[in-house]
Amino acid sequence: MSNVFYRNVKKTLTEVEHGDGIYLYDKDGKKYIDACSGAAVSNIGHGNKQVAQAVMKQAEKVAFSHLSRWSNAPLRELADLVAALAPGSLNKLYPVSGGSEATEAALKMARSYYLERDGKTGKYKMISRWNSFHGNTIGALSMTGDARRKKYVPYLLDFPHIENCYCYRCPFGLESETCNVECAHALERCIKFQGPDSIAAFIAEPVVGAASGALVPHPDYFKIIRQICDHYDILLIDDEVMAGFGRTGSMFAIEDFDVVPDLICAAKGMSAGYVPLGAVIAKDEIYEAFKNGSGVFVHGHTYGGNPLAAAAALEVLKVIQTENLVENSKINGAYLLKQLQEKILPFWFVGDVRGKGLMQGVEFVRDKKSKEPFARKHGLAEKLTQTLMKHGVVVYPGDGMADGENGDQFLLAPPLIITKDQVDELVEKIVAGFAEFEQTANGLK
């Protein structure tokens, strides 16, 4: 019996022993492709000696100092590098310890910004989307729109949600070629019903990750969103906790939509799992509102901005740049998507294969024509995940996106270092796993 309180206390977990590049090895020596980078985290792969040495070097100097009293060189260098990489005037880095802390901090920063700028006390609501996930803390979960929020609804803030950019299951029953991007215009309708003076921000992932399996919006989606936010004096928060730092084939996924947000939430790939880290990247204009106002953002976490995490992230971003991993994500991501669409879309239970760069999703259906999902009771995504693990592939399963209860998908997000040959290896193993699963799944038709 283990004394670890796992997320699922009835599930037996495989024990990892070590990692090397895109691969993980269990304690018995079996090799797995980490096809989801844990949870879209391990962007530069496992066992990178350059980052390990940077962490060791910093740990020998000073591992921790509290940001209320001390600054440190790695944090300042990291902030300068992120400022150079982020779009527009997004130059100010507010460090935290992870993704949920980042979106929670952005929520508070948006509210505080209006108080600092001109004392608008009424602007506090955050609009988000259904089929979304923004974190597990109470504020972040209030913005979340997937099934993970259900058990905790009594604790959550009453924030409004709008329809997601779900082209495969368009909530308006439209086709993308002629839809007029109704899912984007839904924001304006929501703002009018709620009252613009009560809305502080709209938050969205540019490519939807864990909640819906790599949904890519209409090319004009974020242009319309940006125009609406500007018109009603509302901040646009870009949640790039999963997508940021090269995952989708651009340094930040929002750049492909030719839009500059007001705040970017980052984590995961920023330090690639070597040390927990997250951040909010803020526009200069937002920073200046605090500087010209009280000078204080009333918020903070113990480990935010600690020198060990900053040193790790600084080295990770250098690896991403020097090894041209953003371009590799774009090229090998396009190749992976093409291979998956050709080789697994023909399986009767695969409804859609989608994504951008090395952030891709596979959605499963009981009937291709009607897009009828499998009932939740079948636990299809988890069963497929276990089958793929037998074939040496680790994916990130999810469910509930079809109607809030039913629907199965998994996310593919391999390390950005993956090669073309390794993509072929990955696809071959997925096909073999699907072929095995198909033999037992026919009874679910």
Side-chain angles (χ1 to χ4, degrees):
M1 286 287 292
S2 170
N3 287 318
V4 179
F5 195 145
Y6 293 105
R7 294 186 186 188
N8 185 339
V9 298
K10 294 184 177 181
K11 184 178 178 180
T12 301
L13 298 176
T14 303
E15 186 169 321
V16 66
E17 202 281 327
H18 72 280
D20 182 16
I22 71 163
Y23 302 102
L24 290 171
Y25 297 81
D26 68 21
K27 64 178 182 178
D28 297 318
K30 183 176 177 179
K31 179 180 177 182
Y32 304 81
I33 297 176
D34 187 4
C36 56
S37 296
V41 175
S42 303
N43 279 14
I44 66 168
H46 303 280
N48 186 288
K49 300 290 192 294
Q50 183 177 330
V51 178
Q53 288 169 2
V55 171
M56 179 66 75
K57 183 178 179 181
Q58 183 59 49
E60 290 173 344
K61 284 185 175 181
V62 58
F64 175 79
S65 59
H66 199 276
L67 204 55
S68 67
R69 295 291 178 268
W70 298 93
S71 182
N72 61 82
L75 179 61
R76 287 189 289 101
E77 291 177 40
L78 176 63
D80 289 346
L81 179 53
V82 171
L85 297 175
S89 64
L90 285 141
N91 293 321
K92 303 303 182 186
L93 187 78
Y94 186 88
V96 293
S97 301
S100 294
E101 286 186 15
T103 58
E104 190 97 3
L107 181 160
K108 291 181 179 178
M109 192 177 290
R111 159 76 170 162
S112 299
Y113 164 70
Y114 288 105
L115 293 174
E116 295 286 345
R117 192 191 69 179
D118 46 25
K120 287 189 175 180
T121 58
K123 292 177 80 68
Y124 71 95
K125 293 179 184 177
M126 305 289 150
I127 300 177
S128 55
R129 305 181 297 193
W130 296 114
N131 296 92
S132 65
F133 179 65
H134 297 293
N136 280 310
T137 53
I138 294 301
L141 201 59
S142 298
M143 297 185 287
T144 287
D146 84 345
R148 276 167 281 203
R149 75 194 314 272
K150 289 183 178 179
K151 286 187 176 181
Y152 304 106
V153 165
Y155 303 125
L156 302 185
L157 301 165
D158 187 20
F159 287 157
H161 295 73
I162 63 171
E163 296 84 357
N164 212 332
C165 52
Y166 199 168
C167 294
Y168 181 66
R169 297 181 183 277
C170 178
F172 303 95
L174 302 172
E175 298 295 330
S176 60
E177 295 80 9
T178 56
C179 68
N180 195 37
V181 203
E182 283 298 321
C183 53
H185 291 289
L187 175 60
E188 185 165 30
R189 291 192 290 273
C190 182
I191 292 169
K192 287 180 176 179
F193 274 112
Q194 297 289 326
D197 290 340
S198 70
I199 309 297
F202 172 68
I203 185 170
E205 290 180 284
V207 177
V208 184
S212 301
L215 296 182
V216 181
H218 188 286
D220 294 331
Y221 180 85
F222 278 103
K223 291 178 183 176
I224 296 169
I225 294 292
R226 177 76 272 181
Q227 291 168 358
I228 293 169
C229 288
D230 288 344
H231 181 73
Y232 290 101
D233 187 25
I234 291 167
L235 297 183
L236 172 55
I237 302 175
D238 172 23
D239 180 353
E240 301 233 12
V241 168
M242 271 198 168
F245 297 102
R247 170 57 54 195
T248 66
S250 298
M251 187 59 72
F252 294 97
I254 197 70
E255 294 177 276
D256 285 339
F257 298 95
D258 197 27
V259 161
V260 178
D262 299 297
L263 299 170
I264 294 177
C265 300
K268 295 184 184 286
M270 188 177 184
S271 60
Y274 285 86
V275 177
L277 180 69
V280 179
I281 311 167
K283 273 185 172 179
D284 286 337
E285 296 90 327
I286 293 175
Y287 175 84
E288 289 298 324
F290 287 90
K291 186 176 180 180
N292 296 329
S294 70
V296 179
F297 176 32
V298 184
H299 182 62
H301 295 278
T302 298
Y303 293 101
N306 79 82
L308 191 65
L314 186 60
E315 207 63 33
V316 166
L317 296 188
K318 288 178 181 177
V319 170
I320 289 174
Q321 288 183 295
T322 57
E323 297 187 11
N324 206 22
L325 296 186
V326 177
E327 184 68 11
N328 190 67
S329 174
K330 182 177 182 179
I331 294 171
N332 281 326
Y335 179 66
L336 173 60
L337 186 61
K338 184 174 183 292
Q339 293 299 304
L340 291 173
Q341 288 173 337
E342 288 178 359
K343 296 180 179 178
I344 71 169
L345 203 49
F347 283 93
W348 69 263
F349 51 86
V350 178
D352 193 28
V353 178
R354 56 191 177 238
K356 194 172 182 58
L358 286 170
M359 187 171 178
Q360 301 181 15
V362 181
E363 182 168 341
F364 306 103
V365 292
R366 188 171 178 271
D367 181 87
K368 281 181 182 281
K369 187 174 181 180
S370 67
K371 302 179 184 177
E372 178 190 354
F374 289 93
R376 186 181 185 88
K377 65 181 181 181
H378 295 306
L380 194 88
E382 181 61 28
K383 288 177 180 175
L384 261 169
T385 299
Q386 295 305 316
T387 300
L388 288 173
M389 282 197 73
K390 286 164 50 182
H391 289 263
V393 174
V394 188
V395 297
Y396 193 83
D399 56 31
M401 70 288 162
D403 57 13
E405 181 176 348
N406 303 302
D408 296 271
Q409 51 86 12
F410 67 61
L411 191 70
L412 287 170
L416 309 188
I417 61 173
I418 195 169
T419 65
K420 184 173 180 289
D421 287 344
Q422 289 171 333
V423 167
D424 289 336
E425 179 189 0
L426 171 59
V427 173
E428 181 182 344
K429 289 178 180 293
I430 291 175
V431 170
F434 278 25
E436 178 186 330
F437 184 79
E438 189 172 40
Q439 302 305 310
T440 60
N442 285 327
L444 299 177
K445 283 186 178 180

